[in-house]
Amino acid sequence: MSISSEQRRLAAIMFTDMVGYTALSQRNEALALELLEQHRRILRSIFPRFNGTEIKTIGDAFLVEFQSALEAAQCALEIQRTLAKRNPDVSREQRIELRIGIHVGDIVHREGDVYGDGVNIASRIQPVAGIGGICISVDVERQIHNALEVTFEKLAPIELKNVQVPMDLFRVVLPWERDTRLTSQGQKPVAPRRSIPIGWLVAAVLLLLVIAGGWFLFGHYNVPSRRSGVTEVPAKSIAVLPFENLSRDPENEFFTDGVQDEILSDLAKVADLRVISRTSVMQYKAVAQRNLREIAQQLGVAHVVEGSVQRAANKVRVIAQLIDARNDVHLWAQTYDRDLADVFAIQSEIAKSIADQLQAKLSPAEKSAIEQRPTTDVAAFELYSRAKDLILNTGFSALAQENLRSGIDLLNQALARDPSFFAAQCQLASAHDSLYGLLDHTPERRALAEGAVDAAFRLRPDAGEVHVARAQHLYSGYRDYGAALAELDVARRTLSNDPRIFELTAAIMRRQGKHDEGLANYQRSVEIDPRNFFTLQQLALSYQVLRRYAEVIATDDRALSIKPDDPETRAARALAFLDWKADTRPLHQMIDEIRSKNPAAIRSVADVWFICALAERDEAAAETALTALGDATFGDNSTQFNSAFGRGLLGRMLKDESKAQSAFAALRAEQEKIVQAQPDYGPAVCILALIDAGLGRKEEALREIRRAVELVPVAKDSLNGADMIQYSAIVAAWVGEKDLALQNLAKAAQLPGFLSYGRLKLLPSWDPLRGDPRFDKIVASLAPKDSAAAAK
């Protein structure tokens, strides 16, 4: 979509939320749906009377636009008055109670959705209203304080998420509220109470804002009580914790993990259960003394499974027990002593026994899926378990390519032993697609992924897992979003506990530029897999491209609460300060600490170390960072650069034309071969354009970057498309086309992406544009409010 198709205007925005709907839907879904429909009918009959335009419905919430603050306030009063008259005539559970927030601010209509401060602040302040109440911003109060016969109760200044300074808010004291405060002794109406301690009020407001902010961003899902403190943990919820390896041979660790993982996978097929995913439970593998109640609270489940595996020669002993973590009661335990070949039957028996204990309903298809053995070859199973551990622990890392290639080799060995190993075929397809998306963007790699998907379909065409594999392949290999989403819809019917469905849906929505929907799906995935490091990294990435850096930092903090010493996450968190405020100090300090305390980890963060060195114009640090990078890469998204390209950037920073040209010249022939092998891959063409620009090959560079932009339109790939536009500005700047550079940069600055205030302000790639007032204006447009003056 073009920038010009946006509609921006000042408007009054009302955000309404139905109190207690999520909890009620868990207790009585039929009643909740009935009340939801009543609620919608009531509000939709009132909106038009005050010229309100319904612009978005999110579950039980409404987002409504008004031409004036007065009309918005009058509408809110009428809604609460209507409900106040209705509610006394029905039971407590049948009441419809709302919280309403109103703010006046900029809103942006884009592709049928709405964004902007007006929307964000209205959604943030509605929890402050309280049940049946109305909360308004100071801007609204100024416009209506003399126009309505109501009292406004000023609250203490409150810090709102993504708002730079504390806001003055007002709660509307409704005319009928005084009457409800009469006691049974016939006391006179009393004035609104203002004696609540400010500290308590602020704490309560912040808690409500966290809950409401998460709802608005991520949708209404059953959030476990560990986060909201409100929703009860579902009784049929379970986490299968890592089993203990009791074998003498430590190499049996992977076999033990595989046994536990298969039990978990079998249980996850039961739609009547809520099952925490593998990645989250594996975080507790190294915990010597487990506090089961604490673990269950962290994962949001009522039950846990523990066990052990002992293997000797051709015999195996598996012990499993089911525990109600709420009261530490052991509900079931069983020991299985069998031949090693029977281990897969044991896994199925354990899963079915646990489902029976939890009184979970099993459909015939679910029962059949649980009884399906993964393979008949124990050695193939071990190879698969090793590969899965490598691949699923890759995340965002400079070592990702190595892990994927090693995992693929192990999977191929497993399939050589058992070509009918369905799970291994699906995992192989996923690994090839991931490698294709990272660096090896060749038709050959895509064909390998497609071959694995086809082989999996031949084995089990009706399995949900194969539809997930095909969806990933359609997304990674062809960017066929519609077909991928259709496959995910099929998979969702049998894999209700599979977080990959929500992860991939989120990734597709993000590519399509539907960032709010992407955030909602990532959050849903996090609920099923709350300690999944990769998903939290992706969630932080979604915030990064939206330039919501405070939320990037908060999400990285959540990840670091799981792995406090993870170098990549620490680096990403520190990089957010560079992007947000052009502050390199957190990143510099983090790099120094890793170099002194954990030098073996420096390669995994060498990419951001190099960015930091460029931002600080530190030649020695940049050279050292490139050496540490080795054959890994740096860059955002799919456009990845090697260390040789980095030396070309370093030469440009130093204004050493000979050094820069020598580096780029050494790269050009190889990059041209890559483009010939991947002629339709925009990032590869983009890198060639940058190399040619660095070599002064103006016409070639401009032609190539135009081709790269054409290959990756923003409408088809929101993230890479924005990258192409950003790099087109750099290419134009390097070849002396300043007007074109600034025109393209202005476009990039208005799109979600990795372009940031800090990188524009500090990185040498933009040096040719410095001093031009138009460039300064673009930099200032991305600056945080507290840095706006410094950017001018």
Side-chain angles (χ1 to χ4, degrees), residues 260-386:
Q260 170 248 348
D261 192 30
E262 285 302 309
I263 295 169
L264 188 159
S265 297
D266 285 343
L267 288 170
K269 294 179 173 71
V270 182
D272 198 30
L273 295 177
R274 179 178 183 270
V275 183
I276 298 300
S277 252
R278 175 189 191 274
T279 310
S280 289
V281 297
M282 292 306 288
Q283 304 292 326
Y284 300 98
K285 182 176 180 179
V287 179
Q289 296 295 324
R290 292 172 175 166
N291 184 327
L292 296 184
R293 182 170 296 188
E294 182 178 307
I295 290 172
Q297 288 174 348
Q298 291 172 357
L299 296 176
V301 295
H303 302 89
V304 296
V305 175
E306 285 194 303
S308 62
V309 177
Q310 187 173 7
R311 176 180 172 182
N314 63 341
K315 296 290 184 180
V316 65
R317 168 177 288 183
V318 180
I319 300 174
Q321 55 183 343
L322 174 66
I323 303 153
D324 188 330
R326 298 167 295 186
N327 51 28
D328 295 323
V329 172
H330 285 58
L331 303 177
W332 169 86
Q334 186 68 45
T335 300
Y336 302 84
D337 286 308
R338 304 273 183 88
D339 289 338
L340 182 60
D342 288 338
V343 67
F344 306 117
I346 294 172
Q347 295 164 357
S348 299
E349 289 176 32
I350 292 173
K352 285 191 290 186
S353 296
I354 291 170
D356 288 342
Q357 289 293 323
L358 297 180
Q359 298 181 344
K361 300 174 184 177
L362 266 68
S363 69
E366 289 169 349
K367 185 173 182 294
S368 176
I370 289 175
E371 292 172 349
Q372 182 82 49
R373 298 187 181 192
T375 180
T376 56
D377 190 309
V378 174
F381 182 73
E382 286 187 276
L383 290 164
Y384 164 74
S385 298
R386 289 173 181 271

Side-chain angles (χ1 to χ4, degrees), residues 582-645:
D583 184 357
T584 62
R585 289 172 298 176
L587 188 54
H588 192 127
Q589 292 166 5
M590 185 275 303
I591 294 295
D592 285 348
E593 184 178 340
I594 289 178
R595 293 179 72 192
S596 63
K597 296 182 179 180
N598 188 16
I602 197 62
R603 186 185 175 204
S604 64
V605 296
D607 52 348
V608 292
W609 182 14
F610 179 62
I611 298 299
C612 181
L614 289 180
E616 294 180 336
R617 310 291 171 128
D618 187 333
E619 178 186 1
E623 286 283 7
T624 310
L626 289 174
T627 300
L629 188 68
D631 59 358
T633 60
F634 67 94
D636 298 310
N637 215 19
S638 296
T639 309
Q640 292 289 310
F641 306 98
N642 60 22
S643 58
F645 187 94

Side-chain angles (χ1 to χ4, degrees), residues 33 44 143 441:
L33 291 173
R44 284 171 173 157
Q143 296 185 36
H441 202 91

Side-chain angles (χ1 to χ4, degrees), residues 96-174:
I96 298 173
E97 296 171 315
L98 301 186
R99 291 182 289 247
I100 299 178
I102 305 174
H103 178 60
V104 174
D106 283 334
I107 63 170
V108 180
H109 286 269
R110 184 193 306 152
E111 293 184 344
D113 213 336
V114 64
Y115 309 88
D117 284 345
V119 174
N120 293 336
I121 294 177
S123 69
R124 300 282 190 256
I125 68 177
Q126 64 84 13
V128 187
I131 298 174
I134 303 169
C135 183
I136 62 176
S137 66
V138 65
D139 300 312
V140 176
E141 192 273 341
R142 288 195 190 106
Q143 296 185 36
I144 70 171
H145 72 277
N146 290 326
L148 291 175
E149 294 182 359
V150 294
T151 303
F152 300 102
E153 181 178 5
K154 186 174 182 181
L155 305 176
I158 295 172
E159 293 185 3
L160 300 180
K161 196 172 186 179
N162 295 336
V163 179
Q164 296 292 324
V165 296
M167 284 194 67
D168 288 331
L169 301 179
F170 293 82
R171 183 176 178 275
V172 179
V173 181
L174 305 173

